[in-house]
């Protein structure tokens, strides 16, 4: 990075750009800081309704707590035999993907000195519930396809704004989780 | 199903079991009813903070709206250069997986006539943020591994309760999304 670029490293779009670069530099010096573990606990409430609680995580060489405990409820709507008290788990996944890409857009635009005016997206996923209902073994349980479309405005040409979206895709944790497989181990505690 | 089993089909654990079986029967008769599309819109707020809004979906042969609009915020904590206003996108994914498996446990236990006393789980995922920080191309962006451990109590032997958890895993939409790949198309609206 040239000195000229350095002078652009000031807070932008609500992103503390100096802290962002300092974080990258710190991890570059000590790769162990990059190891994070995220967690949630979940408690069944009734029917298809459950509540996840998110508080602690570890990373950057230590244990941390969010500034407050976050609760994320999920349920099924009536048409899928629930009480519709909260979004579906598969809708939380869509929110996770859209927000991960959008966080990345916020960081990347700021690092590149682009002021964002607005970032909006719509995300859709197709599911054939024959899978989860056990009616057809050839139909997968999850989404068959997900599409997300961004509308982004800022003080840069459209081409540069599109590059920021695509760079966010290239570095998105949730995009990777969904488009590549992650091993998941399910166990039952014998108490 | 024998007539003896039929008599067990009454609401249990907050699950309307007759409706559940009627839904399965209806889809068996008309497979087109199984096609669902779920949606969210997302709006960038500031920095790494964004808000997803979930309201409409289609399926079972029509368009639907949740009983109310659900909002799901996401942010990064300070150690990852955010304001910690909400869970991380990757934590929403953990909540999505835990809640999907737990919804399934609620439905499957009820369909099998097992009364649940409690279902609790803890879920953990490991991420090396060298990937998302662009510091090492050999490190993936997303979770390297996810583990979820259930503690389940009900009026059935432990072995039967464990079978319910494993059947939920076998029919979970989010488990499938995470452990198998889903194609994701990211586009930018030219306005």
């Amino acid at each position: 990075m040239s000195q000229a670029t350095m002078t652009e490293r000031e807070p932008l779009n609500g992103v503390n750009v100096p802290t962002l670069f300092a974080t990258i530099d710190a991890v570059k010096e000590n790769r162990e800081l990059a190891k994070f573990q995220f967690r949630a606990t979940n408690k069944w409430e009734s029917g298809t309704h459950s509540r996840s609680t998110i508080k602690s995580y570890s990373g950057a060489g230590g244990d941390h707590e969010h500034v407050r405990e976050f609760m994320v409820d999920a349920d099924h709507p009536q048409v899928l035999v629930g009480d519709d008290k909260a979004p579906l788990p598969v809708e939380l996944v869509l929110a996770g993907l859209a927000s991960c890409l959008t966080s990345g857009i916020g960081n990347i635009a700021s690092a590149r000195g682009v002021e964002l005016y607005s970032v909006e997206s719509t995300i859709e996923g197709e599911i054939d519930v024959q899978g989860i209902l056990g009616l057809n073994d050839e139909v997968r349980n999850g989404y068959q396809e997900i599409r997300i479309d961004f509308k982004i405005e800022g003080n840069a040409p459209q081409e540069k704004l599109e590059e920021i979206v695509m760079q966010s895709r290239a570095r998105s944790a949730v995009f990777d989780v969904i488009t590549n497989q992650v091993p998941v181990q399910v166990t039952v505690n014998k108490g």
Side-chain angles (χ1 to χ4, degrees), chain A residues 28-43:
Chain A
K28 213 181 284 181
E29 290 300 310
N30 181 358
R31 304 286 168 141
E32 283 299 305
L33 297 177
K35 289 185 180 163
F36 278 71
Q37 182 187 85
F38 298 107
R39 305 170 193 130
T41 58
N42 180 279
K43 191 170 178 304

Side-chain angles (χ1 to χ4, degrees), chain A residues 63-106:
Chain A
D63 294 319
H64 306 272
E65 295 206 331
H66 287 288
V67 292
R68 62 183 180 87
E69 191 168 79
F70 300 120
M71 287 188 293
V72 181
D73 281 33
D75 197 1
H76 285 202
Q78 270 114 14
V79 73
L80 289 170
V81 201
D83 281 334
D84 211 10
K85 287 180 179 153
L88 277 154
V90 288
E91 291 172 326
L92 292 178
V93 170
L94 296 183
L97 177 57
S99 59
C100 191
L101 291 166
T102 300
S103 292
I105 290 167

Side-chain angles (χ1 to χ4, degrees), chain A residues 106-181:
Chain A
N107 275 338
I108 294 161
S110 305
R112 294 184 179 183
V114 172
E115 187 185 353
L116 293 172
Y117 305 147
S118 71
V119 185
E120 292 181 18
S121 57
T122 58
I123 183 165
E124 300 172 341
E126 315 289 337
I127 289 193
D128 184 325
V129 299
Q130 287 184 80
I132 62 173
L133 294 177
L135 290 173
N136 188 340
D137 283 338
E138 285 168 26
V139 174
R140 71 179 297 174
N141 297 321
Y143 286 120
Q144 298 178 322
E145 189 192 353
I146 295 172
R147 295 177 299 277
I148 179 163
D149 187 55
F150 280 92
K151 196 173 153 199
I152 176 170
E153 294 179 337
N155 72 345
Q158 181 67 15
E159 192 184 308
K160 189 160 184 179
L161 295 170
E162 286 182 24
E163 281 171 13
I164 290 167
V165 175
M166 293 310 160
Q167 180 61 20
S168 178
R169 181 182 68 171
R171 290 293 170 207
S172 163
V174 178
F175 182 86
D176 175 36
V177 165
I178 294 176
T179 59
N180 298 302
Q181 51 203 5

Side-chain angles (χ1 to χ4, degrees), chain A residues 1-8:
Chain A
M1 287 282 173
S2 68
Q3 202 60 29
T5 311
M6 289 294 289
T7 62
E8 288 169 21

